[in-house]
Amino acid sequence: MKEREDRITRQSFMKTAAVAAAATALGSALKPALRAFAQTERTAQREGDGEWKSTTCQGCTSWCSVQVYVVDGRAVKVRGNPNSKVNRGNCCARCHLSLQQVYDPDRIKTPMKRTNPRKGRNEDPRFVPISWDEALDTIADKIMDLRQNNETYKYMLMRGRYSYMRDVLYDRMTKIIGSPNNISHSAICAEAEKFGPYYTEGLWDYRQYDVSNTRYIILWGADPLSANRQVSHYLSVWGDVIDRAEVAVVDPRLSASAAKARQWLPIMPGQDGALAVGIAHIILAEGLWYKDFVGDFKDGANKFVPGQQVSEEDFEERHTHGLVKWWNLELKDKTPEWTATKTGLPVEQIRKVAIGFGRAAPHAICWVGGGPAMQVRGGYTAMAAHALNGLVGSVDNIGGTLKANKEYTLQFPAPDAFLDEIAKAGKAHKKIDQRGTKAFPALKEGKPGSAVVTNNAADGVLNEDPNEIKVAMCYMNNFTFSCPQTDRWERALSKIPFIVHLTTHASEFTHFCDIVLPSVHHMYEKWGYVKAIGNAHRHVTLLEPVIEPIWDVKIDETEIPWLIAEKLAERGFDNLLRHYQEYIDPETGKRPTNEREFALYSLKYATHHLWDPAEYKGGDKFTGWEHFRKTGVWNSDPYPYRKRWSNMATKTKKFEFYSETLRAALIAHAEKHGTTVDDILETCKYQARGERAFIPHHEEPYLWGDEKEYPLIHVDYKSRLNREGRSANCPWYQELKDLDPGDVPWDDVAKLNPIDAKKLGIGDGDRIRLISKTGQIECHAKLWEGTRPGTVAKCYGQGHWAYGRVAAKEFGKVPRGGNNNVIIPADYDRLSGSTAFYGITRVKVVKA
């Protein structure tokens, strides 16, 4: 009878956890939290009684420095931090949604354990509350079992979003335990987006864009007013940008940015590479390339004549490499008429955009987002689009595309001295995501097998290739929802005997776990830091506990690893704890003695050279730690334009239109597997052969599904309200959903062009089913001219069957709408390791 009373079923999870577990854990500490929204009006009248406290919003990858107004120990409103030179005192709607997250009654409030040994979507986990001691003892015992059996390589750490305290848990703990399997979320974020700039200019990173000084912007599958990096900054200046510069948006749907643009190019999904090389053809044929950067013909006469080869001897390049070879191998025949046929865009519009972009050189930006890059053949598309920045000389230039400014944070102490023989042997095993195999070159920074292949980890687990996984820890992630072909993750997690989830909310991932550890909310309850770029600056911004933790929660990246290290030391394995004790407070010289000290000391250690005046290297200068903490953010020196011209991290040190850097990487991968580059490309589903493998070029889109059976192409995109996919349990998210053009409050809609809807006999508001080769979802139809005919556009973010009483219609059972990833197949841009989300699948739409 007692067991039955303690058991928390799927149906009663939210109600019981909110009352019994939290009350037991905190007692009187609940008072300010439970009244978080009870006295808003009175609080607003007492603003002078409160205090603005600095912290950071991680609601998207903008990572804005913000301030929270705290009254009587509770957060009541948010604003941008005026001390930041990146977001400059601005913040977007996502910041404000965080208030509903931190005070969400559906948060996990105390450690939980699974009592149902069977796992599966239809299995009730039957979670019961437990103490932190019991949870940590259980975790330590499982890790020690692996060590005693020399099976440490069967441990896996899965990381979603993170702060830069990540390596405490993600890297150091995983290595010292003895596993190679630290799997990040990066490949479901935007790795293919980095592929283009790396194999042209040697930059495997995100770029910042000097919009305040530009004259022309082509947004390529990017929507900076909604869902790109530094949304707050771009929102604040975009009115001035469109007054001064031409903006053209390449996107099959009318995005928020497209609605404000001079030109909207509703391209056929997957044909972005065709448009990029078509624009390059026009720029060269019209003589509009930027000669101070690229160079010129020796006799001054333009020999880039459509359809004609050019002698490489006739052209003298300055800061670039391989322009004539690129023309001869790819561009000479890519006329506006050819481009129009491929893209479905008018010849006149293609020419107008290309000529306008070329004439704006060098103050012109080709802004490549995830849309064109995260496709099965997206790496080459990313190269083709980014190469336009090289043609107009905007790379590293005023009004162009910039890398991150220099900063001076420190790496955590190296773990090597704390790896024993068991750890060294375990760490030598292959990774579970199969990076570096013949079919997954994953060429991060030119090194085969160096990039993560996040979504393929599910197949590695399912197939026990290269081995089984017995113990997994995961934080700030929900791969069961956020990765394409979600059923694979459900089956993979069901197969792992022991999983720990560090999380704020019970998500779809949590459903398959054995221990659930309640984590702090990053913006309000955590020590940490992140780095972000924008406005020709970089900032390092602090995450700080601006309120007392509301529930019995711990910091995921520091406090929990320390507590596990203590438990392991009690069992005779003290290597991890001894390592963490090396994180000495540089201000006092003290070693940490508990998890709270460790969280603070490790942050002070990593940021030491930013706040200690004796270690000053550049940027903002502080008098000490307390000055930095109160300010909340360090800003870099202004951007040093043009310093990288002919000093790029490519094989030639120049911007490569013919990529010697990619050539070397592909040859290295082919030789590793005893084959040819052509064979590698065929295995990885690319069309290029021979020399074309080393240049930016057009490849036909790789689409799942036959056009006759699945006549529409699915277009996935991100909401301006998605807090990294964690917004759906916020009522404000649901109420304000129509901030995304074409969407509807408190609903989940697929947007059909009225032309297609008429053919299908579907009316506005009809309940419909989207069916692909890999799954089906249900939602409502929205007839909208902002969707290109032949496509169906649907925003990612709805479709949760867990995560809370708002996110799901019935927690654990009935989703609110449909999750796009159910119908997106698991496929990859294998050169980068990136998951393909866009231009990948056809669907059919029927009435439900």
Side-chain angles (χ1 to χ4, degrees), residues 728-758:
N729 208 50
C730 300
W732 291 341
Y733 172 84
Q734 303 291 347
E735 182 66 30
L736 301 173
K737 197 66 182 68
D738 55 352
L739 285 175
D740 297 311
D743 275 11
V744 177
W746 290 97
D747 203 354
D748 188 26
V749 298
K751 290 168 280 296
L752 293 158
N753 190 283
I755 296 171
D756 294 320
K758 184 176 181 180

PDB file of all heavy atoms in Angstrom, residues 728-758:
ATOM      1  N   ALA A 728       7.539  25.802 -24.889  1.00  0.00           N
ATOM      2  CA  ALA A 728       6.171  25.384 -25.159  1.00  0.00           C
ATOM      3  C   ALA A 728       5.293  25.293 -23.918  1.00  0.00           C
ATOM      4  O   ALA A 728       4.069  25.279 -24.037  1.00  0.00           O
ATOM      5  CB  ALA A 728       6.170  24.046 -25.895  1.00  0.00           C
ATOM      6  N   ASN A 729       5.906  25.251 -22.729  1.00  0.00           N
ATOM      7  CA  ASN A 729       5.085  25.199 -21.520  1.00  0.00           C
ATOM      8  C   ASN A 729       4.817  26.584 -20.941  1.00  0.00           C
ATOM      9  O   ASN A 729       4.247  26.710 -19.869  1.00  0.00           O
ATOM     10  CB  ASN A 729       5.739  24.320 -20.450  1.00  0.00           C
ATOM     11  CG  ASN A 729       4.721  23.693 -19.516  1.00  0.00           C
ATOM     12  OD1 ASN A 729       3.744  23.097 -19.973  1.00  0.00           O
ATOM     13  ND2 ASN A 729       4.924  23.827 -18.219  1.00  0.00           N
ATOM     14  N   CYS A 730       5.224  27.618 -21.672  1.00  0.00           N
ATOM     15  CA  CYS A 730       4.964  29.003 -21.251  1.00  0.00           C
ATOM     16  C   CYS A 730       3.666  29.482 -21.908  1.00  0.00           C
ATOM     17  O   CYS A 730       3.584  29.515 -23.141  1.00  0.00           O
ATOM     18  CB  CYS A 730       6.099  29.924 -21.669  1.00  0.00           C
ATOM     19  SG  CYS A 730       7.709  29.506 -20.977  1.00  0.00           S
ATOM     20  N   PRO A 731       2.661  29.877 -21.134  1.00  0.00           N
ATOM     21  CA  PRO A 731       1.429  30.388 -21.741  1.00  0.00           C
ATOM     22  C   PRO A 731       1.656  31.553 -22.692  1.00  0.00           C
ATOM     23  O   PRO A 731       0.965  31.682 -23.697  1.00  0.00           O
ATOM     24  CB  PRO A 731       0.586  30.799 -20.521  1.00  0.00           C
ATOM     25  CG  PRO A 731       1.066  29.913 -19.418  1.00  0.00           C
ATOM     26  CD  PRO A 731       2.540  29.745 -19.663  1.00  0.00           C
ATOM     27  N   TRP A 732       2.651  32.411 -22.378  1.00  0.00           N
ATOM     28  CA  TRP A 732       2.917  33.531 -23.275  1.00  0.00           C
ATOM     29  C   TRP A 732       3.371  33.042 -24.651  1.00  0.00           C
ATOM     30  O   TRP A 732       3.075  33.677 -25.665  1.00  0.00           O
ATOM     31  CB  TRP A 732       3.982  34.457 -22.673  1.00  0.00           C
ATOM     32  CG  TRP A 732       3.514  35.217 -21.475  1.00  0.00           C
ATOM     33  CD1 TRP A 732       2.222  35.458 -21.098  1.00  0.00           C
ATOM     34  CD2 TRP A 732       4.334  35.829 -20.482  1.00  0.00           C
ATOM     35  NE1 TRP A 732       2.186  36.183 -19.940  1.00  0.00           N
ATOM     36  CE2 TRP A 732       3.470  36.432 -19.530  1.00  0.00           C
ATOM     37  CE3 TRP A 732       5.710  35.927 -20.288  1.00  0.00           C
ATOM     38  CZ2 TRP A 732       3.943  37.122 -18.419  1.00  0.00           C
ATOM     39  CZ3 TRP A 732       6.190  36.619 -19.179  1.00  0.00           C
ATOM     40  CH2 TRP A 732       5.327  37.209 -18.261  1.00  0.00           C
ATOM     41  N   TYR A 733       4.120  31.965 -24.696  1.00  0.00           N
ATOM     42  CA  TYR A 733       4.540  31.394 -25.987  1.00  0.00           C
ATOM     43  C   TYR A 733       3.317  31.040 -26.822  1.00  0.00           C
ATOM     44  O   TYR A 733       3.245  31.343 -28.024  1.00  0.00           O
ATOM     45  CB  TYR A 733       5.404  30.162 -25.737  1.00  0.00           C
ATOM     46  CG  TYR A 733       5.759  29.355 -26.972  1.00  0.00           C
ATOM     47  CD1 TYR A 733       6.848  29.706 -27.769  1.00  0.00           C
ATOM     48  CD2 TYR A 733       5.021  28.227 -27.343  1.00  0.00           C
ATOM     49  CE1 TYR A 733       7.187  28.970 -28.893  1.00  0.00           C
ATOM     50  CE2 TYR A 733       5.355  27.489 -28.465  1.00  0.00           C
ATOM     51  CZ  TYR A 733       6.431  27.865 -29.236  1.00  0.00           C
ATOM     52  OH  TYR A 733       6.758  27.130 -30.346  1.00  0.00           O
ATOM     53  N   GLN A 734       2.376  30.375 -26.205  1.00  0.00           N
ATOM     54  CA  GLN A 734       1.185  29.947 -26.938  1.00  0.00           C
ATOM     55  C   GLN A 734       0.317  31.147 -27.333  1.00  0.00           C
ATOM     56  O   GLN A 734      -0.194  31.222 -28.455  1.00  0.00           O
ATOM     57  CB  GLN A 734       0.370  28.975 -26.074  1.00  0.00           C
ATOM     58  CG  GLN A 734       1.124  27.742 -25.606  1.00  0.00           C
ATOM     59  CD  GLN A 734       1.455  26.772 -26.728  1.00  0.00           C
ATOM     60  OE1 GLN A 734       0.926  26.886 -27.835  1.00  0.00           O
ATOM     61  NE2 GLN A 734       2.323  25.815 -26.459  1.00  0.00           N
ATOM     62  N   GLU A 735       0.182  32.100 -26.432  1.00  0.00           N
ATOM     63  CA  GLU A 735      -0.691  33.250 -26.678  1.00  0.00           C
ATOM     64  C   GLU A 735      -0.148  34.164 -27.771  1.00  0.00           C
ATOM     65  O   GLU A 735      -0.908  34.757 -28.537  1.00  0.00           O
ATOM     66  CB  GLU A 735      -0.855  34.048 -25.380  1.00  0.00           C
ATOM     67  CG  GLU A 735      -1.772  35.252 -25.493  1.00  0.00           C
ATOM     68  CD  GLU A 735      -3.215  34.885 -25.775  1.00  0.00           C
ATOM     69  OE1 GLU A 735      -3.638  33.780 -25.347  1.00  0.00           O
ATOM     70  OE2 GLU A 735      -3.925  35.680 -26.416  1.00  0.00           O
ATOM     71  N   LEU A 736       1.187  34.261 -27.865  1.00  0.00           N
ATOM     72  CA  LEU A 736       1.824  35.192 -28.800  1.00  0.00           C
ATOM     73  C   LEU A 736       2.377  34.488 -30.041  1.00  0.00           C
ATOM     74  O   LEU A 736       3.224  35.031 -30.737  1.00  0.00           O
ATOM     75  CB  LEU A 736       2.950  35.949 -28.097  1.00  0.00           C
ATOM     76  CG  LEU A 736       2.529  36.768 -26.871  1.00  0.00           C
ATOM     77  CD1 LEU A 736       3.748  37.340 -26.162  1.00  0.00           C
ATOM     78  CD2 LEU A 736       1.586  37.893 -27.274  1.00  0.00           C
ATOM     79  N   LYS A 737       1.896  33.295 -30.331  1.00  0.00           N
ATOM     80  CA  LYS A 737       2.449  32.496 -31.433  1.00  0.00           C
ATOM     81  C   LYS A 737       2.321  33.195 -32.785  1.00  0.00           C
ATOM     82  O   LYS A 737       3.101  32.926 -33.707  1.00  0.00           O
ATOM     83  CB  LYS A 737       1.756  31.129 -31.489  1.00  0.00           C
ATOM     84  CG  LYS A 737       2.500  30.097 -32.310  1.00  0.00           C
ATOM     85  CD  LYS A 737       3.835  29.743 -31.674  1.00  0.00           C
ATOM     86  CE  LYS A 737       4.630  28.754 -32.506  1.00  0.00           C
ATOM     87  NZ  LYS A 737       5.106  29.310 -33.773  1.00  0.00           N
ATOM     88  N   ASP A 738       1.346  34.089 -32.922  1.00  0.00           N
ATOM     89  CA  ASP A 738       1.184  34.769 -34.214  1.00  0.00           C
ATOM     90  C   ASP A 738       2.254  35.835 -34.451  1.00  0.00           C
ATOM     91  O   ASP A 738       2.226  36.515 -35.486  1.00  0.00           O
ATOM     92  CB  ASP A 738      -0.215  35.363 -34.353  1.00  0.00           C
ATOM     93  CG  ASP A 738      -0.587  36.285 -33.212  1.00  0.00           C
ATOM     94  OD1 ASP A 738       0.157  36.354 -32.233  1.00  0.00           O
ATOM     95  OD2 ASP A 738      -1.658  36.924 -33.298  1.00  0.00           O
ATOM     96  N   LEU A 739       3.222  35.987 -33.527  1.00  0.00           N
ATOM     97  CA  LEU A 739       4.399  36.793 -33.844  1.00  0.00           C
ATOM     98  C   LEU A 739       5.209  36.156 -34.967  1.00  0.00           C
ATOM     99  O   LEU A 739       5.981  36.836 -35.651  1.00  0.00           O
ATOM    100  CB  LEU A 739       5.286  36.959 -32.606  1.00  0.00           C
ATOM    101  CG  LEU A 739       4.798  37.946 -31.535  1.00  0.00           C
ATOM    102  CD1 LEU A 739       5.712  37.918 -30.326  1.00  0.00           C
ATOM    103  CD2 LEU A 739       4.696  39.357 -32.096  1.00  0.00           C
ATOM    104  N   ASP A 740       5.065  34.850 -35.148  1.00  0.00           N
ATOM    105  CA  ASP A 740       5.656  34.177 -36.298  1.00  0.00           C
ATOM    106  C   ASP A 740       4.693  34.325 -37.468  1.00  0.00           C
ATOM    107  O   ASP A 740       3.541  33.885 -37.386  1.00  0.00           O
ATOM    108  CB  ASP A 740       5.880  32.696 -35.998  1.00  0.00           C
ATOM    109  CG  ASP A 740       6.858  32.480 -34.866  1.00  0.00           C
ATOM    110  OD1 ASP A 740       7.937  33.101 -34.899  1.00  0.00           O
ATOM    111  OD2 ASP A 740       6.547  31.694 -33.943  1.00  0.00           O
ATOM    112  N   PRO A 741       5.118  34.967 -38.566  1.00  0.00           N
ATOM    113  CA  PRO A 741       4.189  35.228 -39.671  1.00  0.00           C
ATOM    114  C   PRO A 741       3.447  33.971 -40.124  1.00  0.00           C
ATOM    115  O   PRO A 741       4.055  32.937 -40.409  1.00  0.00           O
ATOM    116  CB  PRO A 741       5.116  35.747 -40.774  1.00  0.00           C
ATOM    117  CG  PRO A 741       6.249  36.379 -40.032  1.00  0.00           C
ATOM    118  CD  PRO A 741       6.460  35.512 -38.824  1.00  0.00           C
ATOM    119  N   GLY A 742       2.124  34.084 -40.141  1.00  0.00           N
ATOM    120  CA  GLY A 742       1.281  32.987 -40.600  1.00  0.00           C
ATOM    121  C   GLY A 742       0.818  32.045 -39.512  1.00  0.00           C
ATOM    122  O   GLY A 742      -0.062  31.214 -39.745  1.00  0.00           O
ATOM    123  N   ASP A 743       1.394  32.133 -38.299  1.00  0.00           N
ATOM    124  CA  ASP A 743       1.013  31.224 -37.231  1.00  0.00           C
ATOM    125  C   ASP A 743      -0.205  31.732 -36.456  1.00  0.00           C
ATOM    126  O   ASP A 743      -0.645  32.872 -36.619  1.00  0.00           O
ATOM    127  CB  ASP A 743       2.193  30.973 -36.295  1.00  0.00           C
ATOM    128  CG  ASP A 743       3.103  29.865 -36.798  1.00  0.00           C
ATOM    129  OD1 ASP A 743       2.932  29.456 -37.961  1.00  0.00           O
ATOM    130  OD2 ASP A 743       3.983  29.404 -36.052  1.00  0.00           O
ATOM    131  N   VAL A 744      -0.737  30.864 -35.581  1.00  0.00           N
ATOM    132  CA  VAL A 744      -1.993  31.123 -34.883  1.00  0.00           C
ATOM    133  C   VAL A 744      -1.799  30.870 -33.389  1.00  0.00           C
ATOM    134  O   VAL A 744      -1.211  29.857 -33.014  1.00  0.00           O
ATOM    135  CB  VAL A 744      -3.110  30.194 -35.429  1.00  0.00           C
ATOM    136  CG1 VAL A 744      -4.407  30.391 -34.662  1.00  0.00           C
ATOM    137  CG2 VAL A 744      -3.324  30.434 -36.927  1.00  0.00           C
ATOM    138  N   PRO A 745      -2.283  31.780 -32.515  1.00  0.00           N
ATOM    139  CA  PRO A 745      -2.148  31.542 -31.069  1.00  0.00           C
ATOM    140  C   PRO A 745      -2.816  30.249 -30.618  1.00  0.00           C
ATOM    141  O   PRO A 745      -3.853  29.856 -31.149  1.00  0.00           O
ATOM    142  CB  PRO A 745      -2.835  32.764 -30.445  1.00  0.00           C
ATOM    143  CG  PRO A 745      -2.793  33.816 -31.508  1.00  0.00           C
ATOM    144  CD  PRO A 745      -2.893  33.075 -32.809  1.00  0.00           C
ATOM    145  N   TRP A 746      -2.192  29.579 -29.665  1.00  0.00           N
ATOM    146  CA  TRP A 746      -2.721  28.362 -29.047  1.00  0.00           C
ATOM    147  C   TRP A 746      -3.053  27.286 -30.078  1.00  0.00           C
ATOM    148  O   TRP A 746      -3.999  26.521 -29.915  1.00  0.00           O
ATOM    149  CB  TRP A 746      -3.945  28.671 -28.182  1.00  0.00           C
ATOM    150  CG  TRP A 746      -3.593  29.438 -26.949  1.00  0.00           C
ATOM    151  CD1 TRP A 746      -3.669  30.785 -26.784  1.00  0.00           C
ATOM    152  CD2 TRP A 746      -3.057  28.907 -25.728  1.00  0.00           C
ATOM    153  NE1 TRP A 746      -3.224  31.139 -25.524  1.00  0.00           N
ATOM    154  CE2 TRP A 746      -2.852  30.010 -24.853  1.00  0.00           C
ATOM    155  CE3 TRP A 746      -2.747  27.614 -25.290  1.00  0.00           C
ATOM    156  CZ2 TRP A 746      -2.344  29.842 -23.565  1.00  0.00           C
ATOM    157  CZ3 TRP A 746      -2.245  27.469 -24.006  1.00  0.00           C
ATOM    158  CH2 TRP A 746      -2.040  28.566 -23.161  1.00  0.00           C
ATOM    159  N   ASP A 747      -2.264  27.229 -31.133  1.00  0.00           N
ATOM    160  CA  ASP A 747      -2.515  26.217 -32.162  1.00  0.00           C
ATOM    161  C   ASP A 747      -1.194  25.839 -32.815  1.00  0.00           C
ATOM    162  O   ASP A 747      -0.153  26.462 -32.582  1.00  0.00           O
ATOM    163  CB  ASP A 747      -3.498  26.758 -33.207  1.00  0.00           C
ATOM    164  CG  ASP A 747      -4.228  25.650 -33.965  1.00  0.00           C
ATOM    165  OD1 ASP A 747      -3.895  24.458 -33.767  1.00  0.00           O
ATOM    166  OD2 ASP A 747      -5.131  25.976 -34.748  1.00  0.00           O
ATOM    167  N   ASP A 748      -1.251  24.813 -33.622  1.00  0.00           N
ATOM    168  CA  ASP A 748      -0.109  24.369 -34.414  1.00  0.00           C
ATOM    169  C   ASP A 748      -0.601  24.230 -35.840  1.00  0.00           C
ATOM    170  O   ASP A 748      -1.526  23.449 -36.107  1.00  0.00           O
ATOM    171  CB  ASP A 748       0.417  23.031 -33.893  1.00  0.00           C
ATOM    172  CG  ASP A 748       1.724  22.631 -34.556  1.00  0.00           C
ATOM    173  OD1 ASP A 748       2.458  23.540 -35.004  1.00  0.00           O
ATOM    174  OD2 ASP A 748       2.019  21.423 -34.621  1.00  0.00           O
ATOM    175  N   VAL A 749      -0.037  25.020 -36.747  1.00  0.00           N
ATOM    176  CA  VAL A 749      -0.558  25.052 -38.110  1.00  0.00           C
ATOM    177  C   VAL A 749       0.532  24.748 -39.125  1.00  0.00           C
ATOM    178  O   VAL A 749       1.706  25.061 -38.912  1.00  0.00           O
ATOM    179  CB  VAL A 749      -1.192  26.424 -38.440  1.00  0.00           C
ATOM    180  CG1 VAL A 749      -2.375  26.704 -37.520  1.00  0.00           C
ATOM    181  CG2 VAL A 749      -0.174  27.556 -38.362  1.00  0.00           C
ATOM    182  N   ALA A 750       0.113  24.130 -40.223  1.00  0.00           N
ATOM    183  CA  ALA A 750       0.963  23.952 -41.400  1.00  0.00           C
ATOM    184  C   ALA A 750       0.443  24.897 -42.467  1.00  0.00           C
ATOM    185  O   ALA A 750      -0.755  24.906 -42.774  1.00  0.00           O
ATOM    186  CB  ALA A 750       0.924  22.507 -41.885  1.00  0.00           C
ATOM    187  N   LYS A 751       1.343  25.699 -43.027  1.00  0.00           N
ATOM    188  CA  LYS A 751       0.935  26.752 -43.948  1.00  0.00           C
ATOM    189  C   LYS A 751       1.045  26.268 -45.387  1.00  0.00           C
ATOM    190  O   LYS A 751       2.121  25.907 -45.853  1.00  0.00           O
ATOM    191  CB  LYS A 751       1.777  27.998 -43.706  1.00  0.00           C
ATOM    192  CG  LYS A 751       1.433  28.662 -42.371  1.00  0.00           C
ATOM    193  CD  LYS A 751       2.404  29.717 -41.950  1.00  0.00           C
ATOM    194  CE  LYS A 751       3.637  29.118 -41.331  1.00  0.00           C
ATOM    195  NZ  LYS A 751       3.360  28.393 -40.068  1.00  0.00           N
ATOM    196  N   LEU A 752      -0.089  26.282 -46.055  1.00  0.00           N
ATOM    197  CA  LEU A 752      -0.199  25.863 -47.446  1.00  0.00           C
ATOM    198  C   LEU A 752      -0.515  27.065 -48.318  1.00  0.00           C
ATOM    199  O   LEU A 752      -1.333  27.918 -47.935  1.00  0.00           O
ATOM    200  CB  LEU A 752      -1.316  24.838 -47.623  1.00  0.00           C
ATOM    201  CG  LEU A 752      -1.131  23.460 -46.975  1.00  0.00           C
ATOM    202  CD1 LEU A 752      -2.484  22.798 -46.772  1.00  0.00           C
ATOM    203  CD2 LEU A 752      -0.245  22.600 -47.857  1.00  0.00           C
ATOM    204  N   ASN A 753       0.091  27.133 -49.479  1.00  0.00           N
ATOM    205  CA  ASN A 753      -0.316  28.148 -50.438  1.00  0.00           C
ATOM    206  C   ASN A 753      -1.740  27.827 -50.905  1.00  0.00           C
ATOM    207  O   ASN A 753      -2.070  26.660 -51.139  1.00  0.00           O
ATOM    208  CB  ASN A 753       0.644  28.167 -51.624  1.00  0.00           C
ATOM    209  CG  ASN A 753       0.404  29.356 -52.530  1.00  0.00           C
ATOM    210  OD1 ASN A 753      -0.543  29.371 -53.309  1.00  0.00           O
ATOM    211  ND2 ASN A 753       1.274  30.350 -52.423  1.00  0.00           N
ATOM    212  N   PRO A 754      -2.620  28.833 -51.036  1.00  0.00           N
ATOM    213  CA  PRO A 754      -3.994  28.571 -51.464  1.00  0.00           C
ATOM    214  C   PRO A 754      -4.105  27.800 -52.782  1.00  0.00           C
ATOM    215  O   PRO A 754      -5.068  27.056 -52.987  1.00  0.00           O
ATOM    216  CB  PRO A 754      -4.589  29.974 -51.591  1.00  0.00           C
ATOM    217  CG  PRO A 754      -3.807  30.806 -50.617  1.00  0.00           C
ATOM    218  CD  PRO A 754      -2.414  30.252 -50.662  1.00  0.00           C
ATOM    219  N   ILE A 755      -3.101  27.942 -53.645  1.00  0.00           N
ATOM    220  CA  ILE A 755      -3.117  27.193 -54.909  1.00  0.00           C
ATOM    221  C   ILE A 755      -3.066  25.694 -54.642  1.00  0.00           C
ATOM    222  O   ILE A 755      -3.832  24.908 -55.207  1.00  0.00           O
ATOM    223  CB  ILE A 755      -1.934  27.625 -55.811  1.00  0.00           C
ATOM    224  CG1 ILE A 755      -2.081  29.092 -56.224  1.00  0.00           C
ATOM    225  CG2 ILE A 755      -1.814  26.723 -57.033  1.00  0.00           C
ATOM    226  CD1 ILE A 755      -0.849  29.662 -56.921  1.00  0.00           C
ATOM    227  N   ASP A 756      -2.149  25.287 -53.740  1.00  0.00           N
ATOM    228  CA  ASP A 756      -2.030  23.870 -53.403  1.00  0.00           C
ATOM    229  C   ASP A 756      -3.227  23.390 -52.597  1.00  0.00           C
ATOM    230  O   ASP A 756      -3.716  22.271 -52.794  1.00  0.00           O
ATOM    231  CB  ASP A 756      -0.740  23.634 -52.602  1.00  0.00           C
ATOM    232  CG  ASP A 756       0.510  23.897 -53.411  1.00  0.00           C
ATOM    233  OD1 ASP A 756       0.540  23.526 -54.593  1.00  0.00           O
ATOM    234  OD2 ASP A 756       1.453  24.486 -52.857  1.00  0.00           O
ATOM    235  N   ALA A 757      -3.705  24.232 -51.681  1.00  0.00           N
ATOM    236  CA  ALA A 757      -4.838  23.832 -50.849  1.00  0.00           C
ATOM    237  C   ALA A 757      -6.080  23.566 -51.699  1.00  0.00           C
ATOM    238  O   ALA A 757      -6.835  22.614 -51.438  1.00  0.00           O
ATOM    239  CB  ALA A 757      -5.128  24.929 -49.821  1.00  0.00           C
ATOM    240  N   LYS A 758      -6.280  24.374 -52.720  1.00  0.00           N
ATOM    241  CA  LYS A 758      -7.441  24.181 -53.592  1.00  0.00           C
ATOM    242  C   LYS A 758      -7.357  22.840 -54.316  1.00  0.00           C
ATOM    243  O   LYS A 758      -8.351  22.114 -54.438  1.00  0.00           O
ATOM    244  CB  LYS A 758      -7.527  25.325 -54.598  1.00  0.00           C
ATOM    245  CG  LYS A 758      -8.765  25.276 -55.488  1.00  0.00           C
ATOM    246  CD  LYS A 758      -8.827  26.492 -56.403  1.00  0.00           C
ATOM    247  CE  LYS A 758     -10.084  26.427 -57.272  1.00  0.00           C
ATOM    248  NZ  LYS A 758     -10.170  27.618 -58.178  1.00  0.00           N
TER     249      LYS A 758
END
